[in-house]
């Protein structure tokens, strides 16, 4: 079995959340599953100084930065087809919202960038499971509006409302649990949308990873 | 109990190895231990494009980049004293060798930068344990030459010889194991110096973390 991991860069404030991405890789490897790490070859929306929280006056590329988490072993998402993988997992981080969509500006009306939308739609049509961590369920809900999936981003009222305005159903969920939409094969967990420490986040991600693998076997 | 984590940036080829750093944080949190993440406020030796392996024509700061792994919760190493923490763990990555020392140029004659050497020497003098992962034992051996510690970096013959030329003793060790120098309270594991996948690396790091905690309690 091969599971794709879609990264939005490298760092919680402008890219992929590093702990969520690493723990996803860890639990997949522990389960004996091969991984295909990927990212879109696009410019980051912004570069945030993670020490100060302030924007930096420079440009970085999502694929090049995501390669740091992948130790260089990463593909351009345009080179990955739904038929190449048995499931797809998206770790979170602000970069998911900022680099994969215009969710911060447009809320429920958000569009997903074509590179990411294409793979999500193809995975869904192929009946292959999608796992979405942290803020990523927003992208799944925006890309798969017709499916009206049931997802969680934890307990954030504003983001939950935007998700419901997209036509999806939102369920509140604690950090160490997940929400499973068996029909649509979509699994979600709040991670750092709610979690205070890495141990709590890991608990939810481990459950998500194992559920995605189980759904991929069906 | 508080354990310090010393990072050399963010990314295996020019900074801290991301999986090793994240897994260290995970296993410490799982053990109920508080962490103090730190890095020196210095320029990186270089910036490597992790997709191509080639140098990039830009500058980055070790503390600012390490803050990505720490989610912003990080200190300048100059603001951390040995009395503030009960143990110190150093994840690996090429950045440890390149940003903390001139090991790549000088081998066994390498110097360790004063910011890092000061804390290592103070921890050792205070009888507090040090855990060193991957290439980091080189820095420990170079900073604590008089202690002649017993360490491992796996099975790399050239690096092992340089460590022995520094006066330390090197023991070969598999990726899922560790070497414990009980007298000097120094614990080391090869991680990605030897490991092929994150699961193997995690096994050695979990053992190291738990041994460091045990030694800190003595």
């Amino acid at each position: 079995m091969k599971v794709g991991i879609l990264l939005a860069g490298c760092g919680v404030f402008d890219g992929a959340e590093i702990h969520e991405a690493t723990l996803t890789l860890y639990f997949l490897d522990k389960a004996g599953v091969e991984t295909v790490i990927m990212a879109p070859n696009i410019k980051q929306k912004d570069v945030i100084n993670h020490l100060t929280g302030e924007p930096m006056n420079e440009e970085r590329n999502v694929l090049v930065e995501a390669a740091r988490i992948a130790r260089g072993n990463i593909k351009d998402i345009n080179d990955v087809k739904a038929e190449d993988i048995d499931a797809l997992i998206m770790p979170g981080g602000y970069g998911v919202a900022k680099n994969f969509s215009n969710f911060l500006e447009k809320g429920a009306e958000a569009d997903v960038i074509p590179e990411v939308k294409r793979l999500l739609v193809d995975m869904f049509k192929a009946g292959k499971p999608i796992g979405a961590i942290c803020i990523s369920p927003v992208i799944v809900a925006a890309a798969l509006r017709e499916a009206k999936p049931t997802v969680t981003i934890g307990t954030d009222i504003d983001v939950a409302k935007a998700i419901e305005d997209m036509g999806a159903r939102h369920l509140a969920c604690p950090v160490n649990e997940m929400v499973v939409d068996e029909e649509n094969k979509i699994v979600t967990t709040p991670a750092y949308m709610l979690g205070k420490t890495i141990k709590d986040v890991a608990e939810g991600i481990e459950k998500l990873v194992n559920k995605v693998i189980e759904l991929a076997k069906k």
Side-chain angles (χ1 to χ4, degrees), chain A:
Chain A
M1 185 184 302
K2 275 188 194 171
V3 175
I5 320 276
L6 173 54
L7 299 181
C10 177
V12 56
F13 300 128
D14 58 17
E17 211 298 312
I18 289 174
H19 302 180
E20 294 172 2
T22 301
L23 291 166
T24 301
L25 291 167
Y26 172 49
F27 292 123
L28 283 168
D29 190 32
K30 233 177 138 178
V33 167
E34 205 181 318
T35 52
V36 177
I37 311 177
M38 70 192 85
N41 187 3
I42 57 172
K43 209 176 78 172
Q44 285 185 195
K45 181 70 164 285
D46 54 16
V47 180
I48 302 294
N49 178 318
H50 280 56
L51 187 62
T52 63
E54 297 297 318
M56 296 174 86
N57 186 24
E58 58 175 88
E59 293 186 354
R60 296 189 186 182
N61 175 287
V62 172
L63 177 60
V64 170
E65 296 308 315
R68 293 179 175 271
I69 295 175
R71 299 169 46 83
N73 185 15
I74 193 165
K75 288 187 172 180
D76 184 331
I77 190 174
N78 287 342
D79 296 331
V80 181
K81 294 187 185 70
E83 64 203 59
D84 300 335
I85 50 178
D86 301 295
L88 179 69
I89 298 181
M90 297 176 69
Y94 282 90
V96 171
K98 293 197 281 192
N99 299 329
F100 290 174
S101 79
N102 49 9
F103 178 70
L104 297 191
E105 299 86 38
K106 300 191 84 177
E109 307 299 316
D111 302 305
V112 176
I113 63 169
E115 294 89 336
V116 169
K117 185 167 181 179
R118 189 261 317 160
L119 188 59
L120 286 173
V121 168
D122 287 354
M123 292 297 290
F124 179 73
K125 282 186 182 165
K128 294 183 176 182
I130 297 168
I133 296 166
C134 189
I135 191 70
S136 294
V138 163
I139 302 299
V140 174
L144 305 176
R145 285 173 196 259
E146 293 73 22
K148 300 186 185 304
T150 299
V151 300
T152 189
I153 47 82
T155 56
D156 185 296
I157 291 170
D158 293 337
V159 179
K161 183 175 183 311
I163 284 176
E164 296 232 314
D165 288 347
M166 287 173 186
R169 185 168 163 231
H170 182 270
L171 296 181
C173 174
V175 63
N176 60 337
E177 285 297 336
M178 61 178 165
V179 164
V180 183
D181 179 339
E182 296 268 358
E183 197 192 324
N184 288 312
K185 294 193 183 171
I186 291 169
V187 188
T188 48
T189 188
Y192 278 117
M193 281 296 290
L194 205 53
K196 288 204 171 49
T197 75
I198 186 170
K199 169 175 60 66
D200 303 330
V201 167
E203 229 182 290
I205 291 175
E206 184 165 21
K207 287 178 186 171
L208 175 142
V209 163
N210 291 329
K211 186 69 192 183
V212 165
I213 293 170
E214 181 196 316
L215 289 171
K217 283 180 181 161
K218 279 188 182 171

